[in-house]
Amino acid sequence: MKDLVLVTGGTGYIGSHTAVELIEGGYDVVIVDNLDNSTLETLDGIEKITGIRPAFEKFDLCDKDRVSQFFIKYPQLKAIIHFAAHKAVGESVEKPLKYYHNNLSSLINLIHFMDRHNVDNLVFSSSCTVYGQPRELPVTESAPTLPAESPYGNTKQICEEIICDSMRALPKLKSIALRYFNPIGAHPTGHIGELPMGVPNNLVPFITQTAAGIHQSLKVYGSDYNTPDGSAIRDYINVNDLARAHVVAISRLLNKENRSNYEFFNLGTGTGTSVLEMIRTFHKVTGISINYKIVDRREGDIEKVWADTRFANEELGWKATRTLEETLSSAWNWEKNLRGIK
Ligand code: UD1
């Protein structure tokens, strides 16, 4: 019998890629999503890639009664990967309560019913935003967490604290938080990828939409950072590599290979790339020059961050393997499929 894993937010960007990796890794998957920021067509994409359509339940994880019913309906559930959350940094500054309510209540409901129904294993979708601008680079897991720049970032920190405290109080439960750097790219088949609603805030969807002619030009936020070319540096990680790390984390928990009942890992490539380098690499792999304008720094942005990946590499036996070139090429392939561009 295959182990059943709940993927919350499984019709979203990282959730859908993880559902594919789980199915290909021999797990049964059930997805819960309220389709607030994703569509049902993602299930078609997952089915096209894997030949399997995962079970799907549409509801809001803030609804405690629905969460309770879910756990009753799936008594064979073994583990949960919790992606479902609001994630727009700018919106979180304008609507903090929306972020605190959604991102915290859904996690609290899940842990509450995990305890009651003996579902012991939780993987949590966290972010390198918990480090703020680290003093030392690359950033290791022992770097201090800094006060968050946005309510969104703060929800990630608070969620990690909720998990840490709950795992201490409920020692039969186990959890791994995965701190993502900047996930980009799409599945190599082009059947699933990132589907930003409205104007994208993130760099790569904005680049691919500009290449598709949807935007006139890209704004490069800041050219006076203390970096070799003056633009900000991030660690861009292929979403399929990232998704695979979740399968490794699930297997670690199910096989009781974890060293403590709350662990956290950085998921990045270990290499930093500047915004201008991203534009150049996109040109190199697609032949398309992106129109861009240098503008002021974006509020809340940090200068540079990239991961020390040794802990994840050694403890999880996981490593990001895809190149930036192939990742940007997959992002463009996905955008072309969406827009019907040949
Ligand atoms: C941020 C958060 C991350 C969160 C993600 C989700 C931090 C450190 N990171 O990532 O936790 O999960 O948002 O939305 O807070 N850029 C441009 N022009 C654009 C868009 C972006 O120049 O049109 C630049 C940014 O200034 C930044 C880089 O590209 O230097 C990456 O930006 P983005 O893709 O938005 O990700 P982060 O801000 O790093």
Side-chain angles (χ1 to χ4, degrees):
M1 258 255 298
K2 292 180 180 179
D3 286 329
L4 177 66
V5 179
L6 162 61
V7 181
T8 77
T11 47
Y13 174 43
I14 307 172
S16 58
H17 290 81
T18 301
V20 165
E21 292 288 329
L22 283 167
I23 293 168
E24 290 179 343
Y27 292 94
D28 271 338
V29 170
V30 53
I31 288 174
V32 169
D33 204 300
N34 64 1
L35 301 179
D36 177 62
N37 191 30
S38 60
T39 68
L40 270 184
E41 280 159 26
T42 310
L43 296 179
D44 301 335
I46 296 172
E47 188 174 1
K48 276 186 202 148
I49 298 167
T50 64
I52 291 171
R53 194 174 185 85
F56 176 74
E57 304 282 346
K58 178 178 182 296
F59 66 87
D60 194 323
L61 291 158
C62 297
D63 183 340
K64 203 168 176 181
D65 292 339
R66 295 296 301 272
V67 181
S68 170
Q69 287 160 20
F70 175 87
F71 276 83
I72 292 165
K73 182 168 173 186
Y74 293 93
Q76 73 278 38
L77 190 64
K78 288 284 186 302
I80 298 175
I81 309 182
H82 183 41
F83 293 102
H86 294 321
K87 62 164 190 174
V89 177
E91 186 193 43
S92 79
V93 176
E94 282 154 31
K95 300 178 184 166
L97 292 185
K98 174 175 172 181
Y99 277 69
Y100 286 114
H101 174 68
N102 183 68
N103 293 6
L104 305 190
S105 314
S106 54
L107 175 69
I108 292 168
N109 286 342
L110 284 172
I111 298 176
H112 176 80
F113 289 105
M114 284 175 70
D115 180 37
R116 283 193 164 191
H117 291 267
N118 299 314
V119 178
D120 296 342
N121 306 296
L122 173 69
V123 173
F124 178 66
S125 168
S126 190
S127 169
C128 72
T129 193
V130 300
Y131 299 118
Q133 175 61 69
R135 278 222 202 118
E136 281 172 37
L137 289 169
V139 58
T140 67
E141 286 79 355
S142 51
T145 57
L146 293 180
E149 288 280 352
S150 69
Y152 156 76
N154 206 20
T155 67
K156 290 295 174 193
Q157 292 197 6
I158 298 171
C159 282
E160 284 202 17
E161 285 165 8
I162 290 172
I163 294 171
C164 181
D165 290 345
S166 304
M167 298 305 120
R168 199 177 293 139
L170 306 165
K172 75 184 171 63
L173 301 189
K174 311 190 286 294
S175 180
I176 295 178
L178 298 175
R179 295 175 172 170
Y180 314 152
F181 284 66
N182 288 57
I184 61 164
H187 196 268
T189 59
H191 292 316
I192 54 172
E194 191 168 6
L195 196 65
M197 305 271 182
V199 179
N201 296 309
N202 296 111
L203 179 64
V204 169
F206 206 100
I207 289 179
T208 55
Q209 289 194 3
T210 306
I214 295 164
H215 309 290
Q216 292 267 308
S217 82
L218 166 77
K219 290 183 185 128
V220 173
Y221 296 124
S223 61
D224 57 352
Y225 284 113
N226 182 22
T227 60
D229 65 21
S231 65
I233 294 180
R234 298 288 184 273
D235 183 339
Y236 296 93
I237 173 167
N238 183 292
V239 67
N240 303 287
D241 282 338
L242 189 76
R244 195 165 36 80
H246 293 75
V247 182
V248 174
I250 285 290
S251 141
R252 180 178 176 90
L253 291 175
L254 290 176
N255 294 315
K256 302 190 168 53
E257 290 159 359
N258 53 305
R259 287 177 193 262
S260 70
N261 70 339
Y262 175 55
E263 299 179 309
F264 47 90
F265 296 93
N266 287 345
L267 297 184
T269 65
T271 302
T273 307
S274 75
V275 177
L276 293 175
E277 283 171 331
M278 291 293 280
I279 296 171
R280 266 201 304 280
T281 309
F282 187 80
H283 177 241
K284 187 173 129 195
V285 297
T286 65
I288 302 171
S289 309
I290 299 292
N291 271 330
Y292 69 87
K293 271 199 304 264
I294 290 173
V295 300
D296 285 348
R297 294 178 180 195
R298 183 171 69 176
E299 205 183 326
D301 270 352
I302 59 164
E303 184 167 272
K304 51 190 167 196
V305 67
W306 59 93
D308 188 321
T309 63
R310 277 175 302 176
F311 188 51
N313 298 162
E314 286 159 20
E315 265 305 305
L316 296 178
W318 164 91
K319 202 172 179 358
T321 56
R322 272 100 168 175
T323 62
L324 183 61
E325 282 79 3
E326 89 183 90
T327 305
L328 284 174
S329 168
S330 73
W332 177 230
N333 184 38
W334 161 249
E335 187 74 53
K336 283 196 295 185
N337 280 0
L338 270 183
R339 313 286 164 196
I341 300 169
K342 290 273 172 287

